[in-house]
Amino acid sequence: MRHIISILMENEPGALSRVVGLFSQRNFNIETLNVAPTDDPTLSRLTVTTVGDDRVVEQITKHLNKLVDVVKLVDLTEGAHIERELMLVKVKATGSARDEVKRTVDIFRAQIVDVTPSLYTVQITGDAGKLDAFLQAMGPIGVLEVARTGVSGIARGEKILSV
Amino acid sequence: MELLSGADMIARFLKDEGVEYIYGYPGGAALHIYDALFRQDDVKHILVRHEQAATHMADGYARASGKPGVVLVTSGPGATNAVTGIATAYMDSIPMVVLCGQVASHLIGEDAFQETDIVGVTRPIVKHSFSVRHPSEIPTILKKAFYLASTGRPGPVVVDIPKDMTAPTERYEYVYPKKVKLRSYSPVTRGHAGQIKKAVDMMLKARRPVIFAGGGVISGRASEALTDLAKRLNLPVITSLMGLGAYPQNDRQSLGWPGMHGSYEANMAMHHSDLVFGIGVRFDDRVTNNVSKFCPTAKIIHVDIDPSSISKSVQADVPIVGAADNVLNEMLGLLSSRESVNQDALEAWWQQIEGWRSERAGKLYEPATPGEPLKPQQVVEAVHKITHGDAFVVTDVGQHQMFAGQYYKFNKPNRWISSSGLGTMGFGFPAANGIKLNYPDDDVVLFTGEGSFQMMMQELSTCKQFNIPVKIINLNNASLGMVRQWQDLNYKSRHAHSYMESLPDFEKLIEAYGFKAMTVRTLEELEPALEEAFRLKDELVFLDIHVDPREHVYPMQVPLGAMRDMLLSKTERT
Ligand SMILES: Cc1ncc(C[n+]2csc(CCOP(=O)(O)OP(=O)(O)O)c2C)c(N)n1
Ligand SMILES: [Mg+2]
């Protein structure tokens, strides 16, 4: 099963490499990885999506918790949560494809954020599934470049991840 | 207010932390620190002849004392030479603080002379690491390093110290930090009361229970509580190799250690048990054999201070995160108000165990008769006898290590010193030196092989400089015996590079350093040589004992089998 794990870690050099290193060292897989500072300058938030059965994911969270730089973590997929990813895509937009792209962009509630005579740059947010679906829809027309941020997420309701 | 340079802070901190010895080797990036050590007398530095030896010395001391060993090396090659010893300590959860010199801050990343990203290199084999970025941080960082190394599940901590952090001209206020706090690190101590109660209930109801105790009982100083509990409930006790000595082996309830070369009765009992009470163990693959066939009828209680050890390889039915002594004492507390064990079932269980025990008694190996080549096992037994089972026994890695573990019987914790998790050849000699230095009145015996000894034999020079009179028992089978054994069993005796073609004359080699060496070839020579070696209290003595190279270590678990599937000799199997 796919899991989204959000981690608050010390905003220190080396902390990120410890987290990432753990995954390769223990043969855990990383599907996406996203890291940025938080409102607290001493903390970064890192979100990783991984796939594994319950036993593997239990090991992942235990080993992450053991890292001295990891202050707190949550497996968002254990409860209701909001998952978002942002993607920028350059797609071919010539001839009849130009309208076709525009229509699909509207259907997906994406935005065209840059234009040239031959291509559109599209910005789209959503869960990973929606982004995949958009890429699939664009496939026959011609996807030229993809930049995805990796998944970020937060629990629904009152639950708060903080120190 | 006291102003000190970073280098002086390090020396002063070590004194304030109560460190008596540090083990190391100098070089450019560490020279400010060496100068600070030169200008004080409290902390004694032991100069090794290879940085790996410094880590093993510190490790040996840590295993014997339970306190962190301290290492000081220079950047680049000094630090990389220490890597094997750091990994060795990591695998066996040994507390260690490794101070590494580093090139000056402004050179980091420039591929400067003797620059290695040692924090990066050691990342997977440390509990944690620090890089010093300002001299004023040094006391706090060092305190954190010692705190992390020695609490919770112990382990090595690396501190990377760029040369400019220790410059004599840069001086800052020094205060010894009595305490440090890390918001993200608070090792659990107390186990969950409900889980503990459940575990006790299961132990009282069990029909075929075994205790399986490991290194966590030793590092957690819980041997006494373990012994109390086992005695109270009359339970059979198996210790892992790391846990050897956690329960007295001269006691009837001790079944020895399990696993690859474990005792027949330990492997049989654990396989047939209906309840394994594991404490401070990690159910590693050298114990379980094929995990899918592991203890088919047993429920598992697993106590460990490290949650990630629990249900890693073997799924626990009752997981308990907690310190061994706390959990055991809680259990003892619960027992006093309760009815006793399942008496009848336990009696039948003991009968079965005694059956296994007597099945193999007297058949473990065939001792040499006079004139025949000595058997390594009988050498270990003779050493056990002459040291009254009371020595620090240090080993290298190979057949001799297994024989030492099988035939020396340990009644106290912290006396069996062996690289178990990593299996580091070369570990033994420096580790023995580290112990002898700190325990000058105790016998320290090294069981080594001619292969392992040659990996660290330069340390003879360290022994000469600091007068470290260890007793070295070289079980010389003129081959990499353990490798050879596997080749006998799995490769039709094609001995690819397991034969030592050109051994030195060990007597001459040892004598070149001014030490005493004796060669022993027969049973008649053995006892007198041992007697003389141990009579010479203050001298390093090396016994080159020629043993039968054809000997194999048995029992030996059959690959992919269950714990009970063992070869018992070259011709018998369960
Ligand atoms: C540093 C290192 N290299 C290789 C090995 C693999 N290995 C395990 S036992 C062994 C042979 C050890 O020979 P010796 O020290 O003579 O001991 P013996 O088995 O003969 O008693 C080897 C090569 C190891 N454990 N450590
Ligand atoms: Mg050998």
Side-chain angles (χ1 to χ4, degrees):
Chain A
M1 213 188 98
R2 177 169 170 270
H3 289 254
I4 305 171
I5 300 170
S6 255
I7 300 165
L8 290 180
M9 62 181 197
E10 300 287 355
N11 190 6
E12 296 261 348
L16 177 62
S17 74
R18 274 186 241 271
V19 171
V20 174
L22 176 68
F23 277 78
S24 60
Q25 180 191 346
R26 303 232 169 229
N27 217 2
F28 301 144
N29 94 345
I30 297 183
E31 303 252 291
T32 71
L33 177 74
N34 162 298
V35 59
T38 65
D39 56 321
D40 176 345
T42 67
L43 289 174
S44 310
R45 182 167 178 138
L46 179 149
T47 302
V48 58
T49 58
T50 183
V51 175
D53 60 26
D54 289 353
R55 249 200 66 212
V56 171
V57 173
E58 185 185 330
Q59 278 297 311
I60 292 177
T61 54
K62 281 174 167 178
H63 279 289
L64 284 169
N65 263 317
K66 228 171 105 171
L67 293 176
V68 174
D69 286 329
V70 169
V71 184
K72 226 173 198 178
L73 66 80
V74 60
D75 181 351
L76 291 170
T77 28
E78 275 179 356
H81 62 278
I82 299 159
E83 167 191 343
R84 288 291 180 275
E85 185 174 1
L86 183 138
M87 172 167 73
L88 297 168
V89 205
K90 283 189 172 169
V91 287
K92 226 187 244 160
T94 46
S96 64
R98 226 168 151 84
D99 282 348
E100 173 72 19
V101 171
K102 181 76 180 68
R103 267 197 302 280
T104 316
V105 163
D106 291 340
I107 293 170
F108 277 85
R109 271 178 281 169
Q111 292 152 292
I112 295 170
V113 292
D114 193 29
V115 210
T116 76
S118 60
L119 61 79
Y120 284 146
T121 301
V122 179
Q123 168 188 315
I124 174 168
T125 31
D127 62 20
K130 176 177 166 185
L131 271 49
D132 291 341
F134 182 78
L135 285 178
Q136 208 168 11
M138 287 292 116
I141 300 169
V143 173
L144 300 169
E145 184 180 345
V146 175
R148 295 174 73 148
T149 58
V151 171
S152 182
I154 204 159
R156 279 195 187 276
E158 307 264 308
K159 259 198 258 165
I160 283 174
L161 179 66
S162 68
V163 289
Chain B
M1 197 172 82
E2 199 174 4
L3 293 181
L4 295 179
S5 73
D8 285 321
M9 283 191 203
I10 292 170
R12 172 63 83 76
F13 176 88
L14 293 173
K15 177 197 168 203
D16 290 347
E17 186 67 21
V19 174
E20 187 179 358
Y21 289 109
I22 66 172
Y23 314 92
Y25 208 90
L31 285 184
H32 295 325
I33 307 174
Y34 271 88
D35 190 59
L37 289 170
F38 187 86
R39 290 182 277 99
Q40 55 87 55
D41 295 319
D42 301 300
V43 180
K44 292 177 220 109
H45 177 271
I46 303 297
L47 179 72
V48 291
R49 301 304 187 259
H50 185 297
E51 289 86 350
Q52 184 183 335
T55 58
H56 294 329
M57 276 188 102
D59 182 321
Y61 163 69
R63 287 178 204 244
S65 68
K67 294 186 204 140
V70 184
V71 175
L72 173 60
V73 295
T74 188
S75 67
T80 55
N81 269 353
V83 169
T84 300
I86 297 171
T88 304
Y90 180 73
M91 287 296 277
D92 288 346
S93 307
I94 305 303
M96 181 184 290
V97 174
V98 183
L99 310 176
C100 299
Q102 181 55 282
V103 300
S105 310
H106 71 277
L107 291 172
I108 289 179
E110 308 258 308
D111 298 322
F113 177 63
Q114 297 198 325
E115 179 187 1
T116 301
D117 171 14
I118 199 64
V119 165
V121 169
T122 57
R123 200 206 63 238
I125 51 166
V126 294
K127 183 166 173 185
H128 195 58
S129 41
F130 295 94
S131 294
V132 176
R133 269 163 298 149
H134 195 276
S136 62
E137 298 176 343
I138 285 176
T140 320
I141 286 180
L142 291 182
K143 188 67 194 177
K144 285 181 181 170
F146 276 80
Y147 172 59
L148 285 169
S150 55
T151 55
R153 180 177 180 176
V157 176
V158 163
V159 183
D160 195 37
I161 312 170
K163 188 165 184 183
D164 47 326
M165 299 296 117
T166 53
T169 45
E170 298 274 313
R171 293 157 75 218
Y172 293 89
E173 189 185 351
Y174 171 84
V175 182
Y176 173 69
K178 286 211 173 62
K179 252 191 150 153
V180 280
K181 252 186 91 93
L182 290 116
R183 63 173 164 183
S184 55
Y185 177 79
S186 50
V188 188
T189 45
R190 301 181 64 90
H192 186 278
Q195 293 288 85
I196 292 177
K197 187 174 166 300
K198 200 159 147 194
V200 169
D201 285 337
M202 285 167 78
M203 282 157 84
L204 291 175
K205 286 204 195 91
R207 305 179 64 82
R208 299 184 308 280
V210 296
I211 294 179
F212 177 34
V217 173
I218 293 178
S219 61
R221 301 179 193 277
S223 299
E224 231 171 274
L226 174 79
T227 310
D228 281 358
L229 185 80
K231 283 278 146 205
R232 188 85 70 84
L233 298 180
N234 187 26
L235 302 182
V237 183
I238 295 165
T239 66
S240 72
L241 205 49
M242 282 300 295
L244 214 51
Y247 187 85
Q249 283 196 286
N250 61 1
D251 185 84
R252 182 191 64 93
Q253 282 167 243
S254 164
L255 306 190
W257 45 281
M260 171 73 73
H261 294 298
S263 78
Y264 176 72
E265 53 267 34
N267 280 336
M268 292 305 265
M270 205 144 141
H271 178 85
H272 289 94
S273 68
D274 70 346
L275 180 70
V276 175
F277 171 55
I279 177 157
V281 281
R282 57 189 180 93
F283 292 95
D284 104 315
D285 54 283
R286 277 289 187 271
V287 165
T288 59
N289 208 3
N290 185 346
V291 180
S292 65
K293 296 183 183 166
F294 176 72
C295 294
T297 51
K299 290 257 183 269
I300 311 284
I301 302 168
H302 192 174
V303 183
D304 205 285
I305 200 157
D306 176 5
S308 71
S309 262
I310 299 177
S311 299
K312 184 175 64 182
S313 53
V314 170
Q315 194 65 33
D317 298 288
V318 182
I320 303 176
V321 179
D325 62 341
N326 168 268
V327 173
L328 288 166
N329 283 317
E330 293 286 327
M331 288 182 154
L332 284 163
L334 286 175
L335 281 176
S336 46
S337 57
R338 267 161 193 275
E339 79 279 30
S340 64
V341 284
N342 192 338
Q343 209 47 260
D344 292 346
L346 201 56
E347 209 150 288
W349 179 227
W350 268 115
Q351 255 175 28
Q352 201 175 352
I353 291 172
E354 292 304 344
W356 287 319
R357 196 162 5 212
S358 57
E359 242 178 89
R360 295 305 304 162
K363 290 197 218 157
L364 297 174
Y365 71 94
E366 274 186 44
T369 49
E372 280 182 339
L374 274 164
K375 293 293 168 73
Q377 298 94 324
Q378 68 194 125
V379 177
V380 177
E381 289 189 312
V383 172
H384 179 262
K385 195 166 143 222
I386 200 158
T387 56
H388 312 287
D390 207 31
F392 283 104
V393 173
V394 189
T395 78
D396 262 304
V397 171
Q399 289 185 318
H400 63 272
Q401 174 188 32
M402 295 296 110
F403 290 134
Q406 289 177 332
Y407 293 94
Y408 202 98
K409 301 294 174 199
F410 296 86
N411 300 325
K412 286 193 240 176
N414 307 94
R415 294 269 153 170
W416 160 254
I417 312 285
S418 190
S419 164
S420 305
L422 199 67
T424 309
M425 288 172 69
F427 167 82
F429 185 26
N433 294 341
I435 297 170
K436 185 65 189 174
L437 195 67
N438 286 277
Y439 295 86
D441 300 331
D442 287 83
D443 283 328
V444 178
V445 183
L446 168 67
F447 286 104
T448 185
E450 75 304 314
S452 295
F453 186 72
Q454 290 188 90
M455 284 208 178
M456 277 284 133
M457 64 184 183
Q458 79 285 345
E459 292 308 304
L460 286 162
S461 179
T462 307
C463 290
K464 188 175 162 83
Q465 182 176 352
F466 297 96
N467 183 27
I468 308 175
V470 291
K471 308 298 175 203
I472 301 171
I473 309 291
N474 187 35
L475 293 177
N476 187 346
N477 53 8
S479 64
L480 302 176
M482 189 55 94
V483 171
R484 180 187 160 117
Q485 172 167 348
W486 282 59
Q487 290 167 337
D488 285 341
L489 293 169
N490 300 330
Y491 300 91
K492 300 208 169 83
S493 295
R494 292 190 298 273
H495 294 151
H497 295 271
S498 58
Y499 179 63
M500 303 288 262
E501 305 273 11
S502 43
L503 286 176
D505 177 335
F506 279 108
E507 272 192 40
K508 277 201 188 134
L509 177 78
I510 302 298
E511 280 160 9
Y513 286 90
F515 297 128
K516 176 148 186 87
M518 292 177 260
T519 306
V520 174
R521 288 190 182 78
T522 63
L523 194 55
E524 303 84 89
E525 292 168 348
L526 179 62
E527 243 175 69
L530 283 175
E531 262 161 29
E532 183 171 4
F534 284 94
R535 193 163 38 73
L536 299 171
K537 271 259 167 244
D538 303 325
E539 287 183 44
L540 183 151
V541 182
F542 185 102
L543 296 186
D544 186 25
I545 305 185
H546 294 214
V547 293
D548 191 340
R550 290 159 308 179
E551 198 61 18
H552 283 180
V553 184
Y554 293 110
M556 181 173 185
Q557 281 175 337
V558 177
L560 303 177
M563 284 185 86
R564 67 165 167 192
D565 299 321
M566 290 170 269
L567 305 174
L568 298 174
S569 69
K570 283 187 181 169
T571 52
E572 301 159 283
R573 129 173 219 171
T574 52

